[in-house]
């Protein structure tokens, strides 16, 4: 079977992962490696007033105790990702006596064994001068400040809501959440002849290489970041995390390779997280269901040390054809580690709010919630008036409704029950995710033994990129999937973008496609040149299929045969792809690890994937326990390279959406201004037992605008509509509208009981 586009090829790395042959950052051994452990701040804000490392240094096997006193070097020359740099935070621990949040790194201990390092990290004795701190967004001592993002103002939304005959005006909240990839953060750093090698799970090896080069004052060529396998990331491994820098600094000082594996409890504070949100949504409509006005005022949790905002109002404002729109965004600074990207950073929370409000409007109108959405489907982007590159939301609703059996739904609250009397609720919600694009480079080679090698510094963060990018090349060259080898996740490879924002397939895939097309040209030239097997043939009459070049009369020669006619016995080609409207200078900067993203709004189009999501929930009428019995999603994401891996992303997102709706919450211990449930026993994520049947279907769609291969964003959209679909289903079952996540048993007690 050809490894062609559209075929559900099994993951190329499945066997390696299942057998343990795939090595993750923490698996790498080095001769003479030493082990690091972290000491974390026990206070949330203040200063370190005294450091006593005597006991820590006395632990047998301890090699180095680093605190702000002993670090004695500047590590702060690289900036925060939202300010154009690559760091998770603008604050670098161990470079000052300041404490900005609970769980901040205040010491790094290196020893001959992990056990000694951990013992010494516990023995490191620090005194603090404590200042008051606030880690929850709802604290009365903190006020919201505008986030500086452009607001959408079209018409007069406030007046239009006020005079609308049917209105909804409500507030919805979501808590802080953490990513919790199963693979912990881990870094092994080693120096050799002034060159730095960092093995660390990464969504952006090129960006992290650039940052490490800046921090250590060495050329980028002297830094290598290696991350062939990533055990889940979801945004947590996109930026350079401070502990990686500290480990590299310690390795340089000791002249030994150093390995750090960050324990689960520290994962809550040494990286980023999804900040809490509060959303006011007001909608006004005519009685026939024409939505005339929307207001979305979003408040997001930010950090005192870094301003960061993911309010998502620029996405909700684009969902429906509404004549009067007003959005406003602000943030509340809290004393926490800097929040960051987490799967659908802006959309997941804002769509819980917005799509819950749309459901409330449907209830107020006495209208079917799908028909309400279809009635207000916009022909163009409501904000800029630009055409969509493609938008198949209505087809997603029609197909999703069919798969789900929406026609079985009776609209009355609590009107559907199982044979055992359990309440059934059906809910739906829209999903969207922007298709941004980033420049990428790739190299493709055919070797004498018939192998097709694809190389690009993109990343497979569990998404299937190894498989999908191989298929893009195999499709062009007519090579069987088994004959394809793909190399990713290494900064020595041709540049690839941050595997974030669901850009990898579209961007790195476009570069691979271009390189494969260039290789195809070279191959056909060799085949038709004098001495080649198709000497004298017109190249346009030749086809590449099943590892052969075939002429119009059916004569076939294997690629291996054709390669024998090339001087080297092999051929390779490279290409750099840039988003269609990006200027060359910005693209070059992006290829060197700078920020270079185009879209989802370009000069000519609005480019988004869309989906319709459905949930069936079961609620026990007495105990009020609830279960997501079924989830269905229908998604249109342009051309889907591999339906199996795409579906796996969509299903994963939907499962996470169920966790978002019912389970996930990082709780704040307010008096101590710290996260309270810092382990997976206290921080609940959905398990198999929480999830019923999940169906994700891909709706056919052609997008000729988005990029060279027509592929829009897949990775993040699956989570986006699910929390609202579940909350809407809970309302249908119980008549209780829960305007916050997670929805818990105690939120479903009938009023008055
Ligand atoms: Mo994703 S949150 O853009 O890694």
């Amino acid at each position: 079977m050809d490894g062609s586009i559209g075929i559900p090829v099994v993951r190329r790395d499945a066997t390696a992962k299942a057998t343990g042959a795939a090595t993750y950052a923490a698996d790498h051994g080095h001769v003479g490696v030493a082990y690091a452990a972290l000491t974390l701040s026990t206070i949330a804000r203040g200063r370190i007033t005294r450091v006593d490392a005597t006991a820590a240094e006395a632990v047998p096997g301890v090699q180095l105790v680093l605190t702000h006193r002993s670090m004695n070097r500047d590590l702060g020359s690289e900036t925060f990702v939202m300010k154009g740099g690559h760091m998770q935070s603008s604050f670098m621990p161990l470079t000052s006596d300041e404490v900005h949040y609970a769980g901040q790194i205040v010491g790094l201990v290196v020893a001959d064994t992990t056990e000694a390092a951990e013992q010494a990290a516990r023995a490191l004795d620090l005194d603090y001068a404590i200042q008051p701190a606030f880690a929850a967004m709802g604290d009365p001592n903190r006020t919201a400040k505008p986030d500086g993002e452009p607001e959408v103002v079209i018409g007069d939304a406030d007046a239009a809501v006020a005079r609308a005959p049917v209105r909804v005006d409500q507030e919805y909240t979501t808590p802080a959440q953490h990513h919790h990839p199963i693979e912990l953060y881990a870094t092994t750093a080693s120096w050799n002849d002034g060159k730095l090698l960092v093995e660390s799970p990464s969504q952006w090896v090129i960006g992290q290489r650039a940052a490490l080069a800046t921090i250590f004052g060495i050329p980028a060529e002297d830094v290598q970041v290696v991350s062939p396998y990533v055990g889940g990331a979801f945004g947590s491994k996109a930026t350079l995390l401070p502990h990686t820098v500290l480990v590299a600094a310690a390795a340089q000082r000791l002249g030994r390779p150093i390995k750090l594996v960050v324990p689960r409890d520290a994962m809550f504070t040494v990286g980023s997280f999804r900040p809490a949100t509060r959303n006011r949504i007001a909608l006004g409509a005519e009685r026939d269901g024409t939505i005339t006005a929307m207001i979305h005022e979003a408040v997001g949790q930010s950090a005192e040390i870094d301003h960061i905002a993911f309010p998502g109002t620029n996405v909700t404002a684009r969902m429906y054809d509404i004549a009067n729109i007003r959005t406003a965004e602000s943030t509340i600074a809290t004393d926490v580690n800097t929040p960051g990207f987490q799967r659908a950073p802006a959309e997941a929370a804002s769509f819980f709010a917005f799509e819950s409000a749309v459901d409330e409007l449907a209830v107020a109108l006495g209208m079917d919630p799908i028909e309400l959405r279809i009635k207000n489907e916009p022909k163009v982007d409501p904000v800029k008036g630009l055409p969509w590159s493609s938008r198949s939301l209505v087809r997603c609703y029609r197909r999703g409704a069919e798969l789900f059996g929406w026609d079985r739904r009776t609209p009355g609250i609590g009107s559907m029950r199982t044979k055992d009397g359990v309440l059934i609720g059906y809910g739906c919600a829209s999903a969207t995710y922007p298709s941004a694009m980033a420049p990428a480079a790739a190299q493709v080679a055919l070797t004498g033994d018939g192998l097709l090698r694809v190389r690009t510094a993109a990343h497979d963060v569990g998404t299937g990129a190894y498989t999908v990018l191989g298929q893009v090349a195999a499709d062009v060259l007519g090579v069987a999937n088994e004959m394809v080898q793909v190399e990713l996740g290494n900064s020595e490879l041709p540049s690839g973008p941050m595997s974030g924002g669901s850009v990898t397939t579209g961007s790195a895939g476009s570069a691979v496609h271009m390189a494969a097309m260039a290789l195809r040209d070279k191959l056909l030239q060799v085949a038709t040149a004098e001495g080649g097997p198709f000497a004298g043939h017109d190249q346009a009459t030749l086809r590449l299929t099943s590892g052969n070049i075939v002429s119009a009369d059916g004569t076939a020669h294997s690629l291996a045969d054709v390669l024998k006619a090339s001087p080297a016995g092999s051929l390779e080609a490279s290409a750099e792809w840039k988003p269609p409207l990006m200027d060359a200078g910005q693209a070059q900067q992006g290829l060197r690890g700078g920020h270079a993203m185009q879209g989802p709004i370009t000069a000519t189009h609005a480019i988004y994937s869309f989906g319709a999501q459905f949930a069936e929930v079961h609620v026990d009428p007495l105990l009020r326990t609830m279960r997501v019995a079924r989830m269905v999603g229908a998604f249109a994401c342009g051309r889907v390279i591999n339906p199996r891996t795409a579906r796996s992303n969509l299903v994963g997102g939907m499962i996470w959406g169920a966790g978002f709706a019912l389970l996930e919450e990082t709780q704040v211990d307010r008096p101590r201004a710290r996260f309270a449930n810092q382990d997976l026993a206290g921080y609940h994520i959905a398990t198999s037992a929480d999830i019923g049947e999940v169906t994700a279907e891909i709706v056919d769609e052609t997008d000729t605008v988005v990029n060279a291969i027509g592929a829009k964003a897949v990775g993040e959209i699956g989570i986006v509509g699910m929390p609202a679909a579940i909350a809407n289903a809970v309302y249908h079952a119980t008549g209780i509208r829960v305007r916050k996540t997670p929805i818990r048993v105690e939120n479903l007690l009938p009023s008055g009981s």
Side-chain angles (χ1 to χ4, degrees):
M1 183 168 74
D2 280 10
S4 301
I5 286 179
I7 291 174
V9 174
V10 174
R11 282 168 192 269
R12 201 174 295 289
D13 48 345
T15 306
K17 282 184 171 172
T19 58
T23 53
Y24 293 80
D27 298 333
H28 297 157
H30 284 273
V31 175
V33 70
Y35 300 88
L38 301 171
T39 304
L40 303 182
S41 164
T42 54
I43 70 156
R45 190 159 155 261
R47 284 183 187 279
I48 302 163
T49 53
R50 186 184 64 94
V51 175
D52 184 353
T54 319
E57 282 164 352
V59 173
V62 167
Q63 301 296 322
L64 180 67
V65 178
L66 278 178
T67 64
H68 73 281
R69 294 263 167 85
S70 53
M71 178 58 86
N72 264 327
R73 66 177 291 179
D74 180 23
L75 295 170
S77 45
E78 173 66 20
T79 54
F80 177 41
V81 68
M82 302 308 268
K83 287 185 185 158
H86 305 86
M87 293 303 301
Q88 176 262 329
S89 167
S90 58
F91 177 71
M92 180 59 70
L94 305 195
T95 59
S96 100
D97 63 354
E98 296 160 31
V99 175
H100 293 285
Y101 51 90
Q104 174 185 311
I105 298 170
V106 290
L108 181 123
V109 177
V110 183
D112 292 329
T113 64
T114 305
E115 292 74 11
E118 285 171 358
Q119 187 188 341
R122 281 193 298 274
L124 180 59
D125 188 15
L126 303 171
D127 283 346
Y128 302 92
I130 302 175
Q131 290 164 3
F134 307 97
M137 201 170 69
D139 199 289
N141 292 291
R142 297 294 161 104
T143 51
K145 297 195 184 78
D147 73 359
E149 290 297 313
E151 297 176 346
V152 178
V153 179
I154 299 169
D156 186 344
D158 294 85
V161 167
R163 68 166 179 264
V166 184
R167 282 190 294 270
V168 168
D169 192 345
Q170 294 291 352
E171 187 171 281
Y172 307 82
T173 60
T174 62
Q177 300 174 349
H178 278 76
H179 319 75
H180 289 307
I182 291 306
E183 183 201 17
L184 300 166
Y185 299 147
T187 297
T188 304
S190 50
W191 291 83
N192 218 316
D193 290 339
K195 295 184 178 176
L196 171 61
L197 171 67
V198 164
E199 291 151 308
S200 182
S202 173
Q203 295 170 254
W204 197 13
V205 291
I206 299 293
Q208 297 189 10
R209 175 181 69 177
L212 288 162
T214 302
I215 291 166
F216 290 99
I218 54 179
E221 301 76 58
D222 290 354
V223 180
Q224 186 180 4
V225 179
V226 178
S227 175
Y229 296 103
V230 180
F234 318 115
S236 70
K237 295 162 181 171
T239 50
L240 184 60
L241 297 168
H243 68 260
T244 292
V245 178
L246 301 176
V247 170
Q252 191 176 35
R253 186 167 303 190
L254 271 187
R256 274 175 79 168
I258 295 177
K259 180 190 287 194
L260 170 69
V261 179
V262 175
R264 183 63 65 183
D265 57 344
M267 296 279 286
F268 281 80
T269 57
V270 308
S272 69
F273 68 100
R274 186 196 297 281
T277 73
R278 192 160 78 207
N279 297 271
R280 177 195 168 207
I281 310 280
L283 297 170
E286 299 296 337
R287 293 198 191 282
D288 71 352
T290 304
I291 305 178
T292 52
M294 77 168 269
I295 298 167
H296 184 172
E297 293 170 349
V299 186
Q301 177 184 19
S302 186
E304 276 292 345
I305 46 173
D306 284 306
H307 177 80
I308 191 159
F310 299 113
T313 63
N314 60 341
V315 192
T316 57
R318 299 190 139 87
M319 283 312 288
Y320 304 110
D321 187 14
I322 303 176
N324 300 282
I325 302 174
R326 181 172 68 75
T327 70
E329 303 183 349
S330 55
T331 55
I332 293 177
T334 54
D335 299 301
V336 293
N337 42 306
T338 305
F341 312 123
Q342 185 166 324
R343 204 172 195 170
E347 297 75 12
S350 67
F351 269 61
F352 164 68
F354 185 67
E355 288 292 310
S356 291
V358 172
D359 195 72
E360 293 202 53
L361 184 64
V363 171
L365 287 161
M367 208 171 156
D368 178 86
I370 298 180
E371 291 315 311
L372 173 62
R373 289 173 172 93
I374 290 175
K375 184 175 177 61
N376 291 282
E377 172 71 5
K379 292 203 171 52
V380 295
D381 165 27
V383 177
K384 297 266 187 202
L386 292 166
W388 306 104
S389 68
S390 53
R391 173 165 167 143
S392 306
L393 179 61
V394 172
R395 285 173 55 227
C396 290
Y397 265 113
R398 301 248 190 260
R399 182 62 185 139
E402 189 175 58
L403 284 166
F404 184 75
W406 185 258
D407 60 356
R408 294 199 297 271
R409 181 183 192 262
T410 52
I413 303 300
S415 63
M416 297 172 71
R417 295 210 180 212
T418 65
K419 283 197 288 293
D420 305 328
V422 172
L423 292 162
I424 296 175
Y426 280 12
C428 67
S430 303
T432 188
Y433 197 81
S435 274
M437 293 292 136
Q443 186 202 57
V444 174
L446 275 167
T447 60
D449 45 9
L451 283 180
L452 172 61
R453 252 206 308 268
V454 178
R455 306 171 79 232
T456 177
H459 321 78
D460 190 326
V461 293
T463 46
Y466 274 115
T467 312
V468 166
L469 295 175
Q471 280 176 267
V472 171
D475 191 64
V476 171
L477 293 155
V479 169
N481 188 50
E482 306 77 62
M483 300 305 282
V484 181
Q485 285 182 354
V486 181
E487 283 178 66
L488 305 174
N490 190 324
S491 61
E492 310 274 280
L493 295 168
S495 180
M498 179 204 280
S499 288
S502 301
V503 309
T504 299
T505 301
S507 300
S510 289
V512 169
H513 178 80
M514 269 182 79
M517 291 296 282
L519 182 59
R520 186 179 184 277
D521 284 349
K522 288 187 179 180
L523 199 61
L524 290 177
Q525 266 162 34
V526 169
T528 54
E530 216 179 293
F534 291 105
H537 279 65
D538 175 2
Q539 288 181 22
T541 63
L542 300 177
R543 289 179 303 122
L544 279 74
T545 180
S546 305
N548 293 308
I549 298 184
V550 186
S551 68
D553 64 10
T555 310
H557 290 279
S558 71
L559 296 183
D561 270 359
V562 178
L563 289 168
K564 281 184 198 137
S566 72
S570 64
L571 284 173
E572 67 175 53
S574 297
E576 289 179 358
W577 179 84
K578 71 175 186 63
L581 304 171
M582 184 176 281
D583 76 65
Q586 194 191 8
Q588 284 308 313
Q589 210 193 335
L591 291 172
R592 287 193 301 272
H595 288 238
M597 282 274 186
Q598 184 184 85
I601 303 299
T602 70
T604 59
H605 288 86
I607 309 175
Y608 292 80
S609 292
F610 290 93
Q613 297 186 265
F614 297 79
E616 174 178 335
V617 301
H618 291 182
V619 181
D620 186 288
L622 293 173
L623 300 174
R624 314 307 278 182
T625 49
M626 89 205 93
R627 223 187 115 62
V628 178
R630 282 193 305 138
M631 295 188 280
V632 169
F635 303 91
C637 310
R639 190 178 192 196
V640 169
I641 309 302
N642 183 328
R644 183 191 302 266
T645 55
R647 184 184 164 278
S648 160
N649 280 288
L650 295 167
V651 166
M654 290 167 72
I655 290 169
W656 196 341
F660 190 122
L662 303 181
L663 297 165
E664 292 203 36
E665 177 176 21
T666 306
Q667 291 173 323
V668 177
D669 169 355
R670 288 204 187 193
R672 289 177 189 78
R674 58 185 273 279
F675 298 136
N677 49 340
Q678 286 193 201
D679 54 44
L680 290 180
Y683 186 94
H684 295 169
I685 60 173
T687 65
S688 296
D690 297 306
I691 301 298
E693 198 183 304
V694 190
T695 306
E697 189 164 287
I698 291 151
V699 170
D700 274 346
E701 186 182 60
T702 301
D703 191 312
T704 55
V705 171
V706 56
N707 52 41
I709 57 174
K712 291 194 293 183
V714 171
E716 287 164 88
I717 190 172
I719 192 174
V720 174
M722 220 56 245
I726 289 169
N728 298 342
V730 166
Y731 176 81
H732 180 229
T734 63
I736 297 174
R737 181 65 68 177
V738 184
R739 299 189 183 89
K740 59 116 196 161
T741 66
I743 299 170
R744 293 224 163 97
V745 171
E746 58 266 33
N747 304 125
L748 298 185
L749 301 178
S751 52
S753 64

